[in-house]
Amino acid sequence: MCGIVGFIGRQQAAPILLDGLSKLEYRGYDSAGMAVYDGQKIRVEKSTGRLKVLSELTHDGSTMPGTVGIGHTRWATHGEPSDRNAHPHCNTEKSIAVVHNGIIENYMKLKKKLLDHGYEFISDTDTEVVAQLLDYYYKKTNGDIIDTITRVMHRVEGSYALGIIFAEHPDHVYALRKDAPLIVGKSKDGNLIASDVPAILKYTRDVYFIENEEIACLTEDDIRFYNIDGEPIEKTSRTIEWDINAAEKGGYEYFMLKEMYEQPKTVRDTLNPRIKDGQIVIEELGMSDEEIRAIERIHIVACGSAYHTGVTAKYIMEGLARIPVEVDLASEFRYRNPILNKNDLVVIISQSGETADSLAALREAKAKGVKTLGIINVVGSSIAREADRVMYTWAGPEIAVATTKAYTAQLIAHYLLAIHFAQVKGQVTDEEVAEMLTDLKAIPAQIEMLLANKEHIQKIANRYVGARDVFFIGRGIDYAIGMEGSLKLKEISYIHSEAYAAGELKHGTISLIEEGTLVAALVTQKDLYKKTLSNIVEVRSRGAVVLAVTNEDNTEIEKNADYVIYIPQTNKYFTNSLAIIPLQLFAYYVSVGRGCDVDKPRNLAKSVTVE
Ligand code: F6R
């Protein structure tokens, strides 16, 4: 979703803003813009399309002099993607410029009030309402900026991260947030604001996380913070440890490919620190054995791929620890008045830690007095800060919109959690745990082997670049793998694809199978081999071409499938971590073959900060 950057310092702002915006491209956008104070007035340049257009328009920022500015990539919500609706937005006199991520829910009411006061609007956006509202209070308070901003904060409803500059106070950049991400970076050459860490990593690792309803006021050398009542508050900065190269493509054609290749490392990083002397130690969990034994039910809540991790986790947690698990889409959870009991645990899974629905679900759970645990990738993100406990997936910054390495890291986190809970509850023996840990430790090298097989998968993918529909079938954990494989394919290649529980296909969907339809069959669960095999036979006899992903020792499948991809042996609960690799590669090569923008698929945003 929208990306925000801001800079105030001793260097020209526009090139820094453009560079920061380029690091936020992954969030998804349809237009981009900048506002810079040029010494006399605020100058705004903006345009629909890629950042490249804005770079060309401003000759890489060189035609916008000034050392104070804000920039924005817009993912349209209110108003179509257009130059007119692109940010920054200004008041009528163009003395205040605003960039915004989020949605002002009561903007119609506010707009009416401003129209009644003679204000005029040139865009369809809720953000322009904020710019004019700032103008209204700025005049009313005789130019008291903190008073102006806090009055606006009291009036607007919804979510916002805002960057603001005032022509009459050109030595300041203001930033404020509620339910949308915003960070402040402190560097020796100036200070910055941004929606996310990669945008400022080149300039600083010293970061302040702005909390809900807080204001930051930046000058060249100083940063001050205020609460919603305008009272000064103290904040401490944190050092970001991320490797700066992790936010660069490093020779790969796309971030997605690079991130797939990082998986052996990110799996190791998530796993190794939590295995000590042959035991699973999840220090950050902070739950005593009694607390774990007391858990009556786990509710896993997430969106998209993170939800698919949850579906896999249900099979594993129930299978190993015998704790009942419910998995909910975050967007459904919060509106169905879920039944939560005091001995339940709500687990929110999120790469970004900012997904609006997941954050709302977390708050719903907390409001009901239930313990919450976040499985989160972005350190210091909203969900990480608000959940009672956080278990981080150490996948590093993920830039491609389609998740790969964060997803496989989430799986690892859940394996660890399930084994740990099972052990505490006496559901597994020490020998079983030792065997599982051996299998877990083998996963990174096994992923490496699967990635090395990329040419084989590329060849198969090339044949299906023109496919109209693709189906993914499987049972149990294999069904969960299919869900993720299907999402990967459809989101980056725009080919229609669906995942079905293999046994469910004949209850309707099988009528869509015709001569040549590709069916990817996941067959990694020994006790379900025969059942899924009969589903393969069913679809094949109706003309389907079958691509099977199965275990090394299941060669029987070759007689019934057109293509077979083998995954190495592992514990039955961990097959997802391996089987997903060829499916990620398959989706990637189909997308490349179709000439799609792999890292930035149309209509999608990396971090979905609106409902
Ligand atoms: C798909 C994908 C999305 C995210 C979903 C949740 O490849 O990346 O489906 O999984 O938007 O995002 P997070 O994990 O940031 O909450």
Side-chain angles (χ1 to χ4, degrees), residues 256 301-309 348-356 358-359 375-378 383 398 400-404 406-407 410 484 487-488 491-492 604-608:
M256 184 177 172
V301 188
C303 303
S305 295
Y307 170 77
H308 299 155
T309 302
I348 309 281
I349 313 172
S350 175
Q351 187 285 127
S352 62
E354 299 293 350
T355 302
S358 304
L359 183 58
I375 310 265
I376 308 295
N377 194 44
V378 177
I383 299 177
E398 193 177 60
V401 165
T403 182
T404 52
Y407 169 77
Q410 286 164 359
E484 178 57 9
L487 181 62
K488 284 287 89 73
E491 68 180 330
I492 61 171
L604 292 180
K606 180 73 180 163
S607 178
V608 185

Side-chain angles (χ1 to χ4, degrees), residues 499-574:
Y500 264 84
E504 180 65 12
L505 206 64
K506 56 186 165 301
H507 297 287
T509 309
I510 201 163
S511 66
L512 297 174
I513 305 289
E514 48 189 45
E515 203 57 42
T517 305
L518 183 64
V519 175
L522 287 312
V523 206
T524 75
Q525 302 295 301
K526 274 206 177 66
D527 47 341
L528 298 167
Y529 275 173
K530 289 211 167 59
K531 298 282 170 202
T532 309
L533 192 61
S534 66
N535 302 125
I536 291 177
V537 174
E538 268 165 22
V539 291
R540 246 185 142 211
S541 65
R542 284 155 181 88
V545 177
V546 172
L547 162 67
V549 179
T550 191
N551 308 321
E552 271 164 0
D553 62 348
N554 192 18
T555 49
E556 195 190 338
I557 221 93
E558 281 197 15
K559 291 185 219 124
N560 295 287
D562 299 87
Y563 309 99
V564 182
I565 296 167
Y566 289 107
I567 60 162
Q569 293 300 343
T570 188
N571 183 288
K572 66 172 180 174
Y573 290 118
F574 309 152

